[in-house]
Amino acid sequence: MSTYTNVHRLPQSIVAAVTNDPYVGGGYISTTKLIDSPRIRQLTAINRDRITTDVSERVWTLLGQAVHTILERAGLKDGSALVEERLYATICGWTVSGQFDVLSVADRKLSDFKVTTTFKQHGSDSWTQQLNVLRWLANQNGHTVDTLEIVAIYRDWRKTEAQRNPDYPQAAIGVIPVPVWSLEDTVEFVTQRVLLHREAAEGVEVHCSDAERWYSGDTWAIIKPGGKQALKVLETVPNAADVPDGYEMQLRKGEYKRCAHYCDVSAFCSQWADTQAQQEEG
Ligand code: SF4
């Protein structure tokens, strides 16, 4: 079990709510873990007793779990929908488990609720992966699903921005359609992920990908010498035409944001230690 700190002296009610996490993973590997980094899962398993997390870092997870209360109040358990059911299926000798929020039986639609930011108003690769794995699990358990969607609750939504910008979410809650893969492609994806996790569990060193490390990528700022405010920031090396007279281009090295700020096992990770050593040298 990881240890919790309370650096910001938050009320005991919050501490208790975070530490009494009702999440029950079940199965050999959950959908969330399956689509995430095998290295993080392995380092977490090895260092479970040494991981320290501050309760303040779990507040969005806590709010995400409040969806459970919303669905209970909605009273959908009248036969028209299945609510918060955990499903299991076995592949390559491993049991994969996943819990969906709502499966509308009549319209064959699976909905997942997320407390998120407006930055993700068009969805994300990890949501697409997660929901397609849930669709595969539903299929393995006798349910047909044709449509996938995220019901997004935007924790940073601002009414003034919605009035100013038509491309911004127009309400604090919205539905995001999720691309549906073929079941064959999903089986291939799940198989590859299980094999990767199995390798890591067997002691093979599996590195995190740039995507798993939330690497921001290098950028080039077009800026006046000594200036602070960039005229523009490009994601590819600028051409001469991109740099007006009196300006210069400045390389801004990308950041491994998860390693640097959000990974619970970064203190035990040689890949991150190597990156930091290279950054200090370079
Ligand atoms: S510190 Fe970075 S590389 Fe290491 S496990 Fe965490 S995300 Fe992966």
Side-chain angles (χ1 to χ4, degrees):
M1 287 288 289
S2 56
T3 308
Y4 284 102
T5 55
N6 184 14
V7 172
H8 302 283
R9 297 175 183 270
L10 298 178
Q12 187 53 33
S13 51
I14 296 294
V15 176
V18 167
T19 52
N20 295 336
D21 187 348
Y23 174 75
V24 277
Y28 201 103
I29 187 163
S30 69
T31 303
T32 327
K33 293 273 190 296
L34 180 80
I35 65 171
D36 201 0
S37 152
R39 185 180 188 84
I40 292 180
R41 180 170 181 268
Q42 205 46 30
L43 287 175
T44 304
I46 294 167
N47 298 287
R48 189 165 295 282
D49 296 335
R50 299 197 289 158
I51 295 171
T52 302
T53 309
D54 195 68
V55 287
S56 63
E57 291 175 26
R58 288 289 182 266
V59 70
W60 299 124
T61 306
L62 184 62
L63 281 189
Q65 290 165 348
V67 165
H68 172 75
T69 308
I70 296 172
L71 293 176
E72 261 188 356
R73 279 178 60 167
L76 294 173
K77 291 179 178 170
D78 58 359
S80 62
L82 304 173
V83 180
E84 296 190 304
E85 286 197 11
R86 181 160 288 277
L87 304 172
Y88 302 87
T90 302
I91 196 163
C92 300
W94 275 34
T95 301
V96 177
S97 75
Q99 179 173 308
F100 61 76
D101 286 336
V102 179
L103 197 164
S104 307
V105 179
D107 47 7
R108 298 174 166 187
K109 182 167 67 183
L110 194 146
S111 309
D112 198 59
F113 287 65
K114 303 278 187 203
V115 176
T116 185
T117 64
T118 51
F119 181 69
K120 291 176 86 171
Q121 63 168 311
H122 300 300
S124 76
D125 288 347
S126 64
W127 289 351
T128 301
Q129 292 167 358
Q130 184 197 352
L131 265 67
N132 276 283
V133 174
L134 286 175
R135 174 175 178 254
W136 168 74
L137 282 169
N139 174 271
Q140 294 293 295
N141 287 271
H143 306 298
T144 304
V145 174
D146 299 328
T147 308
L148 300 171
E149 68 179 20
I150 296 287
V151 180
I153 300 167
Y154 299 115
R155 64 190 195 217
D156 60 344
W157 186 81
R158 284 176 295 130
K159 192 169 194 171
T160 48
E161 184 61 18
Q163 288 165 340
R164 195 190 67 76
N165 179 4
D167 296 328
Y168 188 81
Q170 292 300 296
I173 181 165
V175 173
I176 304 171
V178 172
V180 178
W181 297 344
S182 72
L183 283 169
E184 292 74 26
D185 285 353
T186 312
V187 169
E188 176 64 20
F189 173 78
V190 174
T191 304
Q192 292 307 322
R193 294 305 300 174
V194 165
L195 292 178
L196 212 54
H197 278 279
R198 201 164 71 182
E199 275 187 12
E202 287 169 356
V204 176
E205 179 154 17
V206 177
H207 282 97
C208 286
S209 65
D210 281 354
E212 287 166 340
R213 304 174 79 186
W214 305 348
Y215 180 56
S216 63
D218 290 346
T219 55
W220 286 262
I222 309 301
I223 195 165
K224 283 195 167 162
K228 285 190 180 147
Q229 187 82 32
L231 178 67
K232 55 185 169 183
V233 179
L234 303 171
E235 290 179 358
T236 53
V237 185
N239 299 313
D242 291 320
V243 189
D245 285 347
Y247 284 81
E248 63 181 13
M249 67 176 178
Q250 208 175 70
L251 172 63
R252 292 180 176 172
K253 293 294 285 177
E255 187 186 16
Y256 294 96
K257 291 187 177 174
R258 191 180 199 176
C259 306
H261 307 293
Y262 299 103
C263 182
D264 284 346
V265 293
S266 59
F268 316 108
C269 177
S270 58
Q271 185 179 0
W272 176 225
D274 290 347
T275 303
Q276 287 177 297
Q278 283 164 11
Q279 286 172 341
E280 276 167 27
E281 280 170 18

